[in-house]
Amino acid sequence: MPPRLSDMSPPPGPFRPTFWRSPLRSPQLTAILGLVLLIGLPVVAITGLLSNDAYQPGLGANALGRNIHGPLDIYLFGWPTSPSWLYALTQGVHVSLGLALFPVVLVKLWSVIPKLFEWPPVRSPAHVLERLSLALLVGGALFEFATGILDIQYWYAFPFSFPQAHYYGGWVFIGALIFHVGVKFSTMRRSLATREELAAVVGPGAAPRPEHPLVAPNPSAPTMPRRALFGAVGAASVILLLQGVGDSLGGPLRPLAFLLPRGAHRSGPLGFQVNRTWAQSGLSAARLLGADWRLTVSGPRSVTLSRAELLALPQHTYDLPIACVEGWSTTQRWTGVALADLAALTGAHGRLSATSVSVAPGTYGQATLGHEEVADPRTLLALAVNGVPLDLDHGFPARVIGPAVPGVHCTKWVRSIHFQPEPA
Ligand SMILES: Nc1nc2c(c(=O)[nH]1)N[C@H]1C(S)=C(S)[C@@H](COP(=O)(O)O)O[C@H]1N2
Ligand SMILES: [Mo]
């Protein structure tokens, strides 16, 4: 009979407990980091699902080619339009908190590395299941953090669509997280049950309990006190959180957003950031936007309007944020024609959705707004911002803007708007 793995002594290297020598690892360190993540990660997950909801993937081409009828495509409710900063808030929290938890995740993973090299690698069917769930948890977490962080840096290094991959990756991660918390919750509580155990993590020089897979049997001298480790993780998280706050609140706090490419400041009344400039849309200005630009609005009947004709319709002014999925937002004073008034021109009425199409084609060249958004009088086809006509980079001749509408649906350089009944 061949020898059983569990009877063999572990191969040299990381499979031997003596390989891992940091005296900072302990079940208490792992439990404290786990507790922070247990509180923070569900908030990141829920705000992520809310973002999916705000995109209204059930409408038009909003799902960006995703099949939205699969079992994981949970689409809870029509996205509300009040308060107008709702999406700026939920997405600001998603991105800022997600970034701020990244250092905690990294140190948590570091704290449990010896378990990755457990010997024997498998002990029982239950053990196989647990390790498999850990592979999904760690893989899912790293995938979500990597795709999220690359996306907000506009580095589309991956060969797949970000919204789809990040959405389904999110479900892998959420499922594995629920399973992991179920399995490990009592371990975490036990590790933090008494004052002595807490003191063992933060207290100076206190020794963790021996005989635990996370406790080095032959520790080396510490290169930093455990307090310094907590301090470093905490400081990194707080700095990332502040930069996220600067990014999502904007205004005078904008300079805090040192990480994000859209933090730059421009001057003048149009001195707020631009996500994609006209030059980046790849079209020449001549192609657009001279005197021959016309807007087509359609529904039961079609109407064509010049910019002068749009300006002759009743104009409304509201302070509204652009809030991007990438977490930044900026609130400005927009002026234009209410979408509901345009719908009325076509004879459309009732529960309507509206599909706006841009002169500039491409992924974000089209979006469909839901009936709450269309009916809200603050949803505008904007012609001016901060009292001056739009410039090309901000969407001249006309752009969509509305309360709590995710930035991606605020189509710029609009060419046509089609109103259609939205199925209940
Ligand atoms: N035609 C067109 N409209 C667009 C986009 C685009 O790439 N093309 N980007 C969208 C996205 S993702 C956001 S967040 C907002 C950003 O508005 P801004 O470019 O004025 O900052 O515009 C939206 N409208
Ligand atoms: Mo965006």
Side-chain angles (χ1 to χ4, degrees), residues 45-341:
I46 289 167
T47 48
L49 290 174
L50 288 177
S51 181
N52 177 63
D53 226 87
Y55 267 54
Q56 309 203 52
L59 296 178
N62 287 355
L64 300 174
R66 202 170 90 201
N67 165 21
I68 50 121
H69 302 295
L72 290 180
D73 292 287
I74 296 174
Y75 176 43
L76 296 174
F77 43 78
W79 188 245
T81 53
S82 288
S84 65
W85 39 265
L86 181 64
Y87 189 69
L89 175 75
T90 60
Q91 200 55 18
V93 168
H94 181 70
V95 173
S96 310
L97 188 60
L99 268 178
L101 289 177
F102 191 47
V104 184
V105 167
L106 291 181
V107 179
K108 169 86 162 37
L109 290 177
W110 172 84
S111 80
V112 295
I113 279 186
K115 301 262 283 180
L116 182 64
F117 298 96
E118 267 177 322
W119 195 266
V122 294
R123 281 196 306 266
S124 64
H127 189 223
V128 173
L129 201 68
E130 191 199 323
R131 299 207 77 183
L132 214 64
S133 80
L134 281 175
L136 289 178
L137 180 68
V138 175
L142 291 180
F143 182 81
E144 291 300 275
F145 277 102
T147 50
I149 290 169
L150 290 182
D151 188 70
I152 56 182
Q153 297 304 319
Y154 306 96
W155 185 25
Y156 307 110
F158 28 82
F160 41 74
S161 141
F162 169 76
Q164 298 192 24
H166 199 68
Y167 179 74
Y168 292 119
W171 277 119
V172 171
F173 171 67
I174 290 170
L177 183 66
I178 291 173
F179 186 83
H180 183 68
V181 171
V183 171
K184 291 291 185 192
F185 189 71
S186 59
T187 313
M188 184 189 80
R189 273 188 54 175
R190 241 182 294 122
S191 301
L192 297 176
T194 66
R195 252 168 218 274
E196 292 73 44
E197 277 157 339
L198 278 173
V201 209
V202 283
R209 287 177 309 179
E211 292 286 329
H212 186 281
L214 293 180
V215 174
N218 60 335
S220 54
T223 50
M224 65 162 90
R226 202 170 280 120
R227 276 182 174 175
L229 177 67
F230 277 114
V233 180
S237 291
V238 168
I239 289 171
L240 287 170
L241 198 63
L242 286 178
Q243 93 83 41
V245 167
D247 203 41
S248 41
L249 288 185
L253 296 177
R254 170 82 51 208
L256 287 174
F258 64 90
L259 260 189
L260 291 131
R262 295 304 182 262
H265 191 74
R266 311 160 90 231
S267 57
L270 298 179
F272 58 99
Q273 75 272 43
V274 168
N275 193 17
R276 183 166 315 167
T277 61
W278 172 252
Q280 283 167 318
S281 77
L283 299 183
S284 80
R287 158 94 203 270
L288 180 65
L289 302 170
D292 54 346
W293 176 84
R294 292 288 182 281
L295 174 79
T296 305
V297 285
S298 54
R301 59 175 179 271
S302 254
V303 185
T304 306
L305 296 155
S306 67
R307 206 178 128 91
E309 287 167 323
L310 282 167
L311 284 166
L313 295 172
Q315 303 291 303
H316 304 273
T317 298
Y318 296 102
D319 289 345
L320 296 168
I322 297 178
C324 180
V325 67
E326 292 142 7
W328 61 262
S329 87
T330 178
T331 298
Q332 308 293 336
R333 184 155 295 175
W334 301 89
T335 300
V337 181
L339 231 59
D341 289 351

Side-chain angles (χ1 to χ4, degrees), residues 273-276 324 328 358 364 399 407-408 410-413:
Q273 75 272 43
V274 168
N275 193 17
R276 183 166 315 167
C324 180
W328 61 262
S358 174
Y364 303 126
R399 83 170 299 167
V408 66
C410 298
T411 310
K412 305 204 282 191
W413 315 299

